[in-house]
Amino acid sequence: MDLSQDEIPAVKDLTIDNITENVHLINSRCPDPRLKYIMERLVSHVHDFARETRLSTSEWMTGLNFLKAVGQISSDVRQETILLSDIIGLSLLVDSIDHPKPPASTEGTVLGPFHTHEAQPEPNGGSISHDPDGEPCLVLCTAKDTSGKPIEKVKIDIWETDSKGFYDVQYPDREGPDGRAVMESDSDGIFWFKAIVPVPYPIPHDGPVGKLLKLLKRHPYRPSHMHFMFEKPGYDHLITALYLRDDPYETSDAVFGVKETLVVALGTVDAEQAEKYGVKEGGKLMTYDFVLVSDDEARKLREENAMKAMEGLGRRMKLYNGLPVPDVD
Amino acid sequence: MDLSQDEIPAVKDLTIDNITENVHLINSRCPDPRLKYIMERLVSHVHDFARETRLSTSEWMTGLNFLKAVGQISSDVRQETILLSDIIGLSLLVDSIDHPKPPASTEGTVLGPFHTHEAQPEPNGGSISHDPDGEPCLVLCTAKDTSGKPIEKVKIDIWETDSKGFYDVQYPDREGPDGRAVMESDSDGIFWFKAIVPVPYPIPHDGPVGKLLKLLKRHPYRPSHMHFMFEKPGYDHLITALYLRDDPYETSDAVFGVKETLVVALGTVDAEQAEKYGVKEGGKLMTYDFVLVSDDEARKLREENAMKAMEGLGRRMKLYNGLPVPDVD
């Protein structure tokens, strides 16, 4: 870092009206054009927010203390920062921007704060939940591309709560992962497993995010759902979930995740299925055909959408590693 | 909290284009009009930031991890959230909004992260620094109102670093407060004390804020200064600082605090002063006449400025506890 003064733009006597351009000025030496653009938009929006609300010193301090509390309650198994992003709709928005879906493909939704990297591999037919109080649910799925061709060897991360609405990591005395598994689709794109019927549950609301929801008179509930995450080289990362039809929170998900195309009505296991899959006849059945988008297709759509959005900003932009930055050449 | 579904606006199938209005909708039941307005502007700006940058999932996660680290390094004696606000110019902006100054009064500046509530009272003539390596500096000040009348019994919080550029709280093994004191102006508005000549110093840059500054190619230095905070019922809270003329960082303060009216050239203690104040002739001398604004004057100016800024937003606004909210009646 060169600290010689003649290289640094002079900033002094800053006011409500000139502070923003001067922060941009001193940040303008950032060598990474993407970080520079992100900081420019961030600083502009943070400053406009303060100017438009006439933010008081006491409100500012309340906000900083809130952010501090969000960081401090976070741990390896509690992601309060993600929760905060979830309840203001930012997570859904970022996923929609980064993973655009052509019409025929499966929509994405929020990752949520409970994905872990410790789920164990399960072969087709395995059980992902060992909660004796859960209502058994046979899950039969396929993974295909947008032309309808099965995709084999997709890595599929699946996670759900137990029958009480808690993820494994929410139990301080748990012995290991449960309610989660990593599967792989077979040569017909099929993956299937035994799970339990998802239940609605509140997001953790004993921390700062829960306090904020209460002040906003919002409930902390998520409708019943099961998470799925798909990864395979050549395909766009798909983070999604299936929601149960007619859940009491279907239209008021605390984290804005529900999409009509991801809502499923549970079926019933018939005699043939019961024998084929080794489960009880009459039990619950969830089926879904997931459609993955190729990396190329997703990138093309993402870049088209980006350049279209940039037109509205009224400045010359270009893509840098696929993401917009000002075109200053 | 009433969870009956018919009261809650339905939100589902949210997209890049409709998420913002729907988050506003579900937040619209907030009973506090000020919090509702703050959340509305916050959500709009956060969403616009993501849309204008086409924020990627990986950048989003980097940002959340950064905020988490900012919270986690914070403690009673380390205010990383304030530092973050400082280096993006938000602190200076909020102080300017909340404490407007009529022309004849002393300008405010950033509080910074090192004010504490444990400074000891010192009578006029007391020593606020006990660092044997510091260069002694006699400080002679007055506190007056905008009509030039002395104000007595103003509580004045003063704090500065030691000669190495560290505040007392930055020493884990310190025995008690040093480099800080709380004084009171006498019936002539005078307060005076013995201090040391301030030195430039870097803000703490071994944490996430320091990392960000480095990525932005910014240095972490603040020019030499001494902090002052004035409190007296009937007068607007004044948070300010005096900066030394010709400091190498005068025009590139990492936290944007320097204002020309707050820059002072140190003088020299003459024979008469040496005898009167019990210090060495030829030593350093700092003098300043602070001018405080009355609560009424500050409030009037703050509210005028607020309503003027609101005109630019193109919506009908009113003041609620002195702060703007939409006028929905």
Side-chain angles (χ1 to χ4, degrees):
Chain A
M1 196 166 9
D2 184 351
L3 295 181
S4 67
Q5 290 302 296
D6 49 357
E7 280 204 0
I8 307 176
V11 296
K12 201 165 89 168
D13 281 321
L14 301 177
T15 65
I16 297 174
D17 298 317
N18 71 14
I19 178 84
T20 309
E21 62 199 85
N22 279 286
V23 176
H24 293 338
L25 192 63
I26 214 159
N27 285 343
S28 66
R29 297 162 75 236
C30 174
D32 175 345
R34 178 64 181 166
L35 177 60
K36 184 157 76 177
Y37 179 57
I38 285 181
M39 286 303 293
E40 184 224 284
R41 296 322 305 148
L42 181 74
V43 167
S44 287
H45 281 295
V46 169
H47 288 195
D48 282 346
F49 164 71
R51 278 187 287 252
E52 290 171 7
T53 57
R54 314 308 289 177
L55 198 67
S56 74
T57 305
S58 130
E59 291 168 336
W60 166 80
M61 189 56 92
T62 301
L64 294 187
N65 284 337
F66 175 79
L67 284 182
K68 180 172 153 182
V70 165
Q72 297 204 327
I73 205 173
S74 294
S75 70
D76 286 350
V77 293
R78 175 152 186 168
Q79 302 287 357
E80 194 85 357
T81 53
I82 296 184
L83 267 190
L84 175 57
S85 166
D86 288 352
I87 67 120
I88 61 170
L90 178 62
S91 307
L92 192 279
L93 176 57
V94 168
D95 183 72
S96 308
I97 290 170
D98 206 26
H99 300 287
K101 307 296 178 196
S105 62
T106 299
E107 290 192 274
T109 187
V110 289
L111 172 67
F114 290 114
H115 175 253
T116 70
H117 293 280
E118 55 175 31
Q120 296 302 303
E122 280 292 338
N124 262 342
S127 290
I128 73 159
S129 171
H130 302 90
D131 178 1
D133 298 328
E135 184 179 1
C137 183
L138 175 65
V139 186
L140 305 179
C141 302
T142 61
K144 295 185 177 167
D145 69 16
T146 48
S147 70
K149 223 183 86 201
I151 316 176
E152 67 171 342
K153 294 194 177 167
V154 180
K155 180 187 163 199
I156 306 134
D157 234 300
I158 302 146
W159 64 109
E160 65 167 340
T161 68
D162 65 11
S163 61
K164 291 171 196 69
F166 291 108
Y167 289 95
D168 53 0
V169 291
Q170 294 180 280
Y171 291 97
D173 58 346
R174 75 202 171 93
E175 281 165 11
D178 193 23
R180 59 181 82 233
V182 177
M183 307 201 65
E184 202 178 81
S185 57
D186 69 16
S187 56
D188 296 320
I190 291 171
F191 62 100
W192 68 279
F193 55 95
K194 294 161 191 162
I196 61 173
V197 175
V199 297
Y201 65 87
I203 58 171
H205 57 293
D206 56 339
V209 169
K211 270 187 208 148
L212 178 59
L213 284 178
K214 202 163 182 182
L215 288 172
L216 294 170
K217 262 194 112 190
R218 284 171 54 181
H219 72 68
Y221 282 85
R222 296 216 63 202
S224 314
H225 63 280
M226 190 180 291
H227 290 276
F228 294 82
M229 185 159 79
F230 297 80
E231 281 177 275
K232 169 153 183 167
Y235 292 89
D236 192 46
H237 198 190
L238 171 62
I239 297 167
T240 192
L242 297 180
Y243 297 87
L244 299 195
R245 173 69 66 207
D246 294 332
D247 186 279
Y249 304 103
E250 184 179 325
T251 63
S252 69
D253 183 359
V255 307
F256 308 103
V258 184
K259 295 179 179 180
E260 181 55 30
T261 62
L262 301 174
V263 177
V264 295
L266 290 187
T268 306
V269 174
D270 63 25
E272 196 185 329
Q273 289 167 326
E275 192 176 330
K276 179 168 177 191
Y277 296 107
V279 296
K280 272 198 197 147
E281 187 181 342
K284 296 295 186 194
L285 173 69
M286 184 189 263
T287 62
Y288 204 83
D289 297 313
F290 294 92
V291 179
L292 273 57
V293 183
S294 76
D295 260 345
D296 282 349
E297 211 175 349
R299 183 171 52 243
K300 200 166 154 254
L301 199 51
R302 188 188 306 120
E303 295 184 359
E304 275 172 19
N305 291 348
M307 290 312 288
K308 211 179 292 168
M310 291 305 102
E311 281 167 24
L313 295 185
R315 58 199 283 189
R316 238 178 68 186
M317 304 291 291
K318 62 177 178 186
L319 295 178
Y320 172 82
N321 297 334
L323 294 165
V325 298
D327 186 357
V328 288
D329 296 328
Chain B
M1 193 164 12
D2 184 350
L3 295 182
S4 68
Q5 292 301 297
D6 50 356
E7 280 204 359
I8 307 177
V11 295
K12 201 165 88 169
D13 281 321
L14 301 177
T15 65
I16 297 175
D17 298 318
N18 72 13
I19 178 85
T20 309
E21 63 200 84
N22 279 286
V23 176
H24 292 339
L25 191 63
I26 215 159
N27 285 344
S28 66
R29 297 162 74 237
C30 174
D32 176 343
R34 179 65 182 164
L35 177 60
K36 183 156 77 177
Y37 179 57
I38 285 181
M39 285 302 294
E40 184 223 284
R41 296 323 303 147
L42 182 74
V43 167
S44 287
H45 281 295
V46 169
H47 287 195
D48 282 345
F49 164 70
R51 278 186 288 252
E52 291 171 7
T53 57
R54 314 307 290 179
L55 198 67
S56 74
T57 305
S58 130
E59 290 168 338
W60 166 82
M61 188 55 92
T62 301
L64 294 187
N65 284 337
F66 175 79
L67 283 182
K68 179 172 155 183
V70 166
Q72 297 204 325
I73 205 173
S74 294
S75 70
D76 286 349
V77 293
R78 175 153 186 167
Q79 302 287 357
E80 194 86 358
T81 52
I82 296 183
L83 266 191
L84 175 58
S85 165
D86 288 352
I87 67 121
I88 61 170
L90 178 63
S91 307
L92 192 278
L93 175 58
V94 168
D95 183 73
S96 307
I97 290 171
D98 206 25
H99 299 287
K101 307 295 179 197
S105 62
T106 299
E107 292 192 272
T109 187
V110 290
L111 171 68
F114 291 114
H115 176 253
T116 70
H117 293 279
E118 55 174 31
Q120 297 301 304
E122 280 292 337
N124 262 342
S127 290
I128 73 159
S129 171
H130 303 89
D131 178 0
D133 298 328
E135 183 179 1
C137 183
L138 174 66
V139 186
L140 305 178
C141 303
T142 61
K144 295 184 177 166
D145 69 16
T146 48
S147 71
K149 226 184 82 199
I151 316 175
E152 66 171 344
K153 295 194 176 167
V154 180
K155 180 189 164 199
I156 307 133
D157 235 300
I158 302 144
W159 64 108
E160 65 167 340
T161 68
D162 65 12
S163 61
K164 291 172 193 69
F166 292 108
Y167 288 95
D168 54 359
V169 290
Q170 295 180 277
Y171 291 96
D173 57 347
R174 75 201 173 95
E175 280 164 11
D178 194 23
R180 57 182 82 233
V182 177
M183 306 201 65
E184 202 177 82
S185 56
D186 69 16
S187 56
D188 296 320
I190 291 171
F191 62 100
W192 67 280
F193 55 96
K194 294 161 191 160
I196 60 173
V197 175
V199 296
Y201 64 86
I203 58 171
H205 56 293
D206 56 338
V209 168
K211 270 187 209 149
L212 178 59
L213 285 178
K214 202 163 182 181
L215 288 173
L216 294 170
K217 262 193 110 189
R218 283 171 55 180
H219 71 68
Y221 282 84
R222 296 216 62 203
S224 314
H225 64 279
M226 189 180 291
H227 290 276
F228 293 84
M229 186 158 79
F230 297 79
E231 281 176 276
K232 169 153 182 167
Y235 293 90
D236 192 46
H237 198 191
L238 171 61
I239 297 166
T240 193
L242 298 179
Y243 298 87
L244 299 195
R245 172 69 68 208
D246 294 331
D247 187 280
Y249 303 103
E250 184 179 326
T251 62
S252 68
D253 183 359
V255 306
F256 308 102
V258 184
K259 295 179 180 180
E260 181 56 29
T261 62
L262 302 173
V263 177
V264 295
L266 290 187
T268 306
V269 174
D270 64 24
E272 198 184 331
Q273 289 167 325
E275 191 177 330
K276 180 169 177 190
Y277 296 107
V279 296
K280 273 198 197 149
E281 187 182 342
K284 297 294 187 192
L285 173 69
M286 184 189 261
T287 62
Y288 204 83
D289 296 312
F290 293 92
V291 179
L292 274 57
V293 183
S294 76
D295 260 344
D296 282 349
E297 211 175 348
R299 182 171 54 244
K300 202 168 152 252
L301 200 51
R302 188 188 305 120
E303 295 184 359
E304 275 172 19
N305 290 349
M307 290 312 286
K308 211 178 294 168
M310 292 305 102
E311 281 167 24
L313 294 185
R315 56 200 282 190
R316 238 177 67 186
M317 304 292 291
K318 63 178 178 186
L319 294 178
Y320 172 82
N321 297 333
L323 293 166
V325 298
D327 186 358
V328 287
D329 295 329

